Amino acid sequence: MSVIAPIKNKKFMDAILANSEFVSGFDQLRSKGNKGLESTPFPTLRHEYWKYTKVSGLLNKEFTINKIVNPVISEETLAMMGDNPRLIFVNGFLNLDLSILPTESGISVTGLSDLSENDLAKFPVDWENEQEAFTLLNEASFTDGIHVSVAKNTKIEAPLFIVHIQNGDKTGSANRNYFELATGSEATFITVFEGDQEISFSNQFSSYLVADNAVLNAFDYHQNGDLSNLVSVAIAHQYANSHINLGSYIFGGKMLRKNIYVSVLGTNCETTINGAYILNDKQTADFRVIVDHKAAHCNSNQTFKGVMSDKASGVFNGKIYVRKDSQLINAFQTNRNILLSDDANAYSRPQLEIYADDVKCSHGSTIGQLDEDALFYMMARGIRRLEAEKMLVSAFVADAIANVNYEPFQEVIMESIASKSAKF
């Protein structure tokens, strides 16, 4: 599976593509990925959408894709999942022994090994034919994945957890997961990333197809190991009267890049995309978010909050498109950041590109510090400074997690905010 590539990235790619254990039946997709890698370089700081996130260190390493035996799931994740169904991926391979399949009627889970490329042809795979090297590498190297479908007019009560466990030094993983919500259906998916303290790289792709009047709730939670690296793409198409509710919450990991693309293709849609990233040491969290309004009478809201200390960096690069004839659009985008040290960084670039005239759109960005007056007020009333800072950080982030519709998961996020704030 080796491809022609710039010599500086050849060892990185060859190590990943050397894996022989991958789901079969997707020759066209793999060929497309391999072909694209021949002419698509990996991003550098000169790339417009990667100018604040350095990946040269990642590309200098050689990651291998290997199965492991007896993986460990954290007590926190086990408690959060409770008795709910879950799909457990270990180093990129679905582990059915650890998984609990859904039992509610109206939801089905199928492994990609039981599907063909034609079965998945209806799903979105890119935005406006945009190609990136990491996405092409996923197409060429993915080992496993799932297709989840929810039947027409079915509301699935229990959330489905998708857990990615990364264990072992210099291990790589790559998955492609597909989610389909039929007309009038509703479901909640919670994806959890965790791993050990070894160097690793995870390359993830998720595609969502949300039919008329359907409701998708999809959240991801990152407690990756301190040396883990992740690049992920989530792409969604939503149709008339549907509601997409997304959230991404980052606490662990070394370098995490999240690409989120939503194309609004039907009228009267609601789109909510929120995120929070609480970072310390030299962590980097980089979000690129695009909401593309291609139909009239729709609303979208984005709220992203970041708190950085030490030498951590948070990046938000968001854009709202309102296409011609997409009138009566209400679209709002907010990114706010707090820096808790002189060496921490926040880079924010919210953007609007509007081709219709009857719209209400706005974007905003702030970068600042904790309110010293509020800290003084709280400390004057006997609250220790550390506790006061934790309270202020929690209050600052709160509206970025307000859209989480599963209370135990929301509680875990709040606990993570508090525990991470204690390290500042």
Side-chain angles (χ1 to χ4, degrees):
M1 295 177 67
S2 179
V3 301
I4 301 170
I7 190 67
K8 63 180 180 180
N9 298 327
K10 184 171 177 55
K11 290 184 178 180
F12 168 78
M13 289 201 298
D14 282 352
I16 292 174
L17 294 171
N19 172 59
S20 60
E21 292 191 67
F22 54 83
V23 62
S24 61
F26 295 86
D27 293 342
Q28 291 182 7
L29 181 60
R30 295 189 191 280
S31 177
K32 173 179 175 289
N34 278 304
K35 185 69 174 177
L37 285 170
E38 294 179 6
S39 57
T40 306
F42 283 88
T44 68
L45 297 181
R46 292 189 296 272
H47 190 289
E48 182 181 1
Y49 301 119
W50 287 81
K51 64 190 300 183
Y52 302 114
T53 300
K54 190 176 181 180
V55 297
S56 58
L58 174 69
L59 298 175
N60 286 331
K61 295 179 174 61
E62 297 178 41
F63 297 93
T64 57
I65 297 176
N66 297 307
K67 289 184 177 180
I68 63 169
V69 181
N70 300 322
V72 177
I73 304 176
S74 70
E75 293 296 327
E76 178 191 65
T77 298
L78 290 171
M80 176 171 53
M81 293 189 297
D83 296 326
N84 290 303
R86 75 283 310 260
L87 303 170
I88 309 295
F89 288 87
V90 182
N91 286 3
F93 295 92
L94 181 62
N95 188 317
L96 290 175
D97 292 333
L98 296 176
S99 301
I100 300 176
L101 297 179
T103 57
E104 287 186 68
S105 61
I107 182 172
S108 65
V109 178
T110 307
L112 294 191
S113 59
D114 295 321
L115 298 171
S116 69
E117 290 184 296
N118 289 336
D119 295 322
L120 302 175
K122 58 189 170 183
F123 282 90
V125 295
D126 56 44
W127 175 77
E128 299 294 295
N129 296 314
E130 186 176 273
Q131 298 292 330
E132 281 196 349
F134 284 112
T135 307
L136 293 167
L137 181 61
N138 175 280
E139 293 176 355
S141 66
F142 72 97
T143 55
D144 209 345
I146 53 169
H147 171 250
V148 180
S149 63
V150 182
K152 182 178 180 179
N153 296 327
T154 301
K155 180 178 180 180
I156 304 302
E157 297 295 338
L160 174 62
F161 284 84
I162 298 99
V163 181
H164 294 273
I165 302 172
Q166 196 88 15
N167 285 158
D169 187 34
K170 293 184 180 177
T171 57
S173 65
N175 297 109
R176 293 181 74 84
N177 297 325
Y178 299 83
F179 303 87
E180 182 176 3
L181 276 69
T183 301
S185 64
E186 181 175 351
T188 297
F189 306 110
I190 300 174
T191 302
V192 179
F193 293 89
E194 63 174 56
D196 58 21
Q197 298 304 312
E198 304 291 347
I199 298 172
S200 64
F201 170 57
S202 180
N203 191 351
Q204 299 294 323
F205 174 88
S206 298
S207 182
Y208 299 92
L209 198 57
V210 185
D212 295 354
N213 298 293
V215 178
L216 166 69
N217 302 292
F219 311 105
D220 58 70
Y221 172 75
H222 297 266
Q223 279 288 19
N224 314 60
D226 292 341
L227 299 177
S228 66
N229 302 274
L230 177 140
V231 176
S232 76
V233 171
I235 182 166
H237 283 182
Q238 69 175 126
Y239 294 88
N241 304 297
S242 64
H243 186 181
I244 285 182
N245 181 27
L246 306 179
S248 185
Y249 308 100
I250 296 177
F251 302 96
K254 181 181 180 181
M255 187 281 292
L256 296 95
R257 166 65 179 233
K258 309 282 294 183
N259 297 312
I260 303 171
Y261 309 97
V262 177
S263 292
V264 185
L265 304 176
T267 58
N268 299 307
C269 289
E270 297 283 338
T271 309
T272 302
I273 308 176
N274 287 358
Y277 37 104
I278 315 296
L279 312 173
N280 65 345
D281 294 331
K282 295 182 180 180
Q283 288 182 283
T284 296
D286 184 345
F287 285 90
R288 184 182 181 210
V289 183
I290 290 177
V291 176
D292 194 350
H293 286 280
K294 296 184 176 182
H297 297 271
C298 295
N299 301 318
S300 69
N301 285 277
Q302 300 173 47
T303 302
F304 282 77
K305 299 289 188 73
V307 180
M308 279 68 67
S309 71
D310 302 326
K311 296 182 179 181
S313 295
V315 183
F316 176 80
N317 192 330
K319 196 164 190 176
I320 297 171
Y321 287 88
V322 180
R323 304 294 181 172
K324 185 179 179 181
D325 298 327
S326 295
Q327 306 294 351
L328 297 173
I329 299 295
N330 297 312
F332 307 102
Q333 184 184 71
T334 301
N335 175 228
R336 304 197 186 284
N337 300 276
I338 288 177
L339 303 181
L340 299 179
S341 71
D342 292 340
D343 294 324
N345 293 288
Y347 305 98
S348 185
R349 191 185 178 194
Q351 303 166 79
L352 301 173
E353 193 165 319
I354 301 171
Y355 298 97
D357 53 14
D358 191 1
V359 302
K360 292 181 180 179
C361 299
S362 69
H363 59 202
S365 172
T366 60
I367 300 172
Q369 299 174 322
L370 286 177
D371 188 334
E372 288 295 333
D373 290 339
L375 280 172
F376 177 81
Y377 178 87
M378 297 169 75
M379 293 168 64
R381 280 149 182 79
I383 301 174
R384 292 179 301 167
R385 184 180 180 91
L386 178 60
E387 289 301 314
E389 289 179 348
K390 288 166 60 176
M391 292 170 67
L392 288 176
V393 168
S394 296
F396 172 74
V397 176
D399 57 342
I401 67 171
N403 62 319
V404 175
N405 66 328
Y406 181 60
E407 187 172 346
F409 178 50
Q410 192 176 71
E411 291 173 355
V412 167
I413 297 172
M414 292 303 297
E415 291 169 2
S416 295
I417 292 170
S419 63
K420 194 65 182 283
S421 299
K423 298 179 182 180
F424 293 156

